[in-house]
Amino acid sequence: MAEKLAPEKRHNFIHNGQKVFEWDQTLDEVNMYITLPPNVHSKQFYCKIQSKHVELGIKGNPPYLNHDLASPVKTDDSFWTLEDGIMHITLQKRDKGQTWASPILGEGQLDPYATDLEQKRLMLQRFQEENPGFDFSQAQFTGNCPDPRTFMGGIRTD
């Protein structure tokens, strides 16, 4: 049932008409997907994830991305992998349930409508996680959706 509440599609971050990366999020993490240039050996790529910053690129060249993150992450639980020409960066949210409007601070922000949809989806994920015997995939909110991180005393971390 929880998989029904997974992100249905990725968001695109477009800069100067070019897709820089795609991304999605869950209650726990933000995932970034970057298409790698062809004919570059995987050992040439690097990614450095810090609490509030990400840097990645090809060794010996200026970084492709070198930006502050929109919110802090748990560096010990964040990682990156390369597979089928895609760099997948998993950023573990420090504040579980926080709705991110973009992975990168001040860049490619979701519009208010898309942010609201993300917040609603994350709230339903929280309900599903806290009540595993129920199916919240068809639930809907009327009016403003509460913040999934703080609603009714906040997310349990036990």
Side-chain angles (χ1 to χ4, degrees):
M1 284 180 264
E3 60 275 356
K4 293 179 185 177
L5 296 171
E8 293 180 18
K9 66 177 188 132
R10 296 176 182 165
H11 306 287
N12 290 315
F13 172 48
I14 308 291
H15 182 71
N16 291 334
Q18 179 180 351
K19 180 172 71 173
V20 178
F21 60 83
E22 296 178 304
W23 70 281
D24 61 29
Q25 66 183 310
T26 67
L27 280 173
D28 297 302
E29 60 194 29
V30 172
N31 297 289
M32 297 172 63
Y33 307 90
I34 300 158
T35 303
L36 302 174
N39 304 320
V40 179
H41 195 274
S42 62
K43 292 183 189 228
Q44 293 179 272
F45 294 101
Y46 74 95
C47 181
K48 182 177 179 182
I49 301 168
Q50 297 173 315
S51 173
K52 296 181 181 180
H53 193 86
V54 65
E55 179 182 329
L56 62 102
I58 300 172
K59 294 174 186 170
N61 292 290
Y64 177 71
L65 282 180
N66 188 12
H67 294 282
D68 288 337
L69 296 170
S71 294
V73 299
K74 297 177 183 176
T75 55
D76 289 346
D77 297 323
S78 298
F79 59 93
W80 60 281
T81 59
L82 301 174
E83 186 174 338
D84 297 329
I86 303 288
M87 179 180 277
H88 176 191
I89 303 170
T90 300
L91 303 169
Q92 190 72 30
K93 293 178 178 178
R94 188 184 73 190
D95 298 318
K96 181 177 179 176
Q98 183 176 23
T99 306
W100 288 28
S102 171
I104 303 299
L105 182 65
E107 300 287 342
Q109 303 288 314
L110 295 178
D111 62 58
Y113 178 73
T115 300
D116 185 57
L117 291 177
E118 280 293 291
Q119 185 161 316
K120 288 176 180 178
R121 188 179 55 74
L122 293 179
M123 190 71 204
L124 294 176
Q125 278 186 351
R126 176 182 166 189
F127 288 161
Q128 187 66 59
E129 184 178 283
E130 293 176 353
N131 303 281
F134 295 92
D135 180 2
F136 291 94
S137 62
Q138 299 299 314
Q140 297 181 2
F141 290 93
T142 57
N144 291 336
C145 176
D147 182 341
R149 188 172 62 84
T150 60
F151 179 67
M152 294 187 69
I155 292 179
R156 294 183 297 223
T157 57
D158 50 339

